[in-house]
Amino acid sequence: NPFSGGEKVDEKTKKQMARMVDALQPHCDEQIAAAMTCSLSGSMSSLLVGGLVTQLISMLQGRGGQGSQSVKLPNPVFIAVGSKSIYAFDFKPRGFNYKIKKEVARWPRDEVSIDAENTGAMASFTLTTGSGESYSFEMATMMGARELVDAFFEALGGSQE
């Protein structure tokens, strides 16, 4: 497995990442460095206190229509990071495993910018394509998932706050 995650990643995190990478690797035509199941932004925060406010703001900002996106992503979505591309897959969780349904999007890495934030109980990142489309994702960082998210962000190569 190519995922090393640097020196600070513990065995449990490596195993979790390896399981996600292994689920997606057969569906990608290049080596996958990291993978993560993500929710579309706004969907998870609605479960948390203040989520209604967040939803209201995103609706007011016109995010409800998601007009500047050519791809309708499933929620949740499985993101894989390769050296040449970033992939999005539709999937179904199966206990600790994943049933991969189909690839729904692929973005060339050299044409996207990533803005990542890993603070509090939620981590989020926005992927902006060369054509100006913007996709926002979020993940919970509770119960030891922060290390996993850190490792994923490291592979994504995003600017982290």
Side-chain angles (χ1 to χ4, degrees):
N1 186 333
F3 176 74
S4 61
E7 302 308 306
K8 62 184 188 299
V9 178
D10 63 20
E11 284 306 310
K12 184 171 160 265
T13 301
K14 282 184 187 172
K15 279 198 177 85
Q16 286 176 299
M17 182 62 77
R19 193 164 49 229
M20 291 192 280
V21 167
D22 289 347
L24 291 180
Q25 187 61 68
H27 303 274
C28 302
D29 52 13
E30 63 176 308
Q31 196 74 58
I32 296 305
M36 195 78 183
T37 57
C38 307
S39 295
L40 302 183
S41 277
S43 55
M44 276 175 81
S45 58
S46 62
L47 303 173
L48 302 169
V49 180
L52 287 173
V53 175
T54 310
Q55 278 186 319
L56 189 63
I57 291 169
S58 65
M59 278 166 55
L60 291 172
Q61 290 170 338
R63 242 203 83 241
Q66 310 233 336
S68 67
Q69 299 179 345
S70 63
V71 184
K72 176 103 178 79
L73 295 175
N75 190 25
V77 62
F78 212 152
I79 303 291
V81 182
S83 56
K84 295 193 283 292
S85 304
I86 295 172
Y87 305 79
F89 288 92
D90 190 4
F91 76 104
K92 209 183 206 74
R94 285 251 171 100
F96 284 114
N97 295 309
Y98 311 94
K99 179 178 181 352
I100 308 306
K101 294 183 184 175
K102 65 177 200 270
E103 182 182 314
V104 289
R106 182 185 299 203
W107 301 282
R109 280 194 68 165
D110 55 6
E111 290 176 22
V112 299
S113 65
I114 303 288
D115 191 21
E117 197 176 326
N118 191 353
T119 54
M122 299 287 291
S124 61
F125 72 97
T126 300
L127 179 150
T128 306
T129 66
S131 60
E133 293 179 20
S134 195
Y135 298 89
S136 295
F137 306 93
E138 57 193 15
M139 310 78 110
T141 57
M142 296 160 291
M143 298 176 298
R146 180 173 301 283
E147 290 75 19
L148 203 58
V149 170
D150 281 339
F152 176 70
F153 282 172
E154 201 175 301
L156 263 180
S159 61
Q160 262 194 76
E161 290 170 23

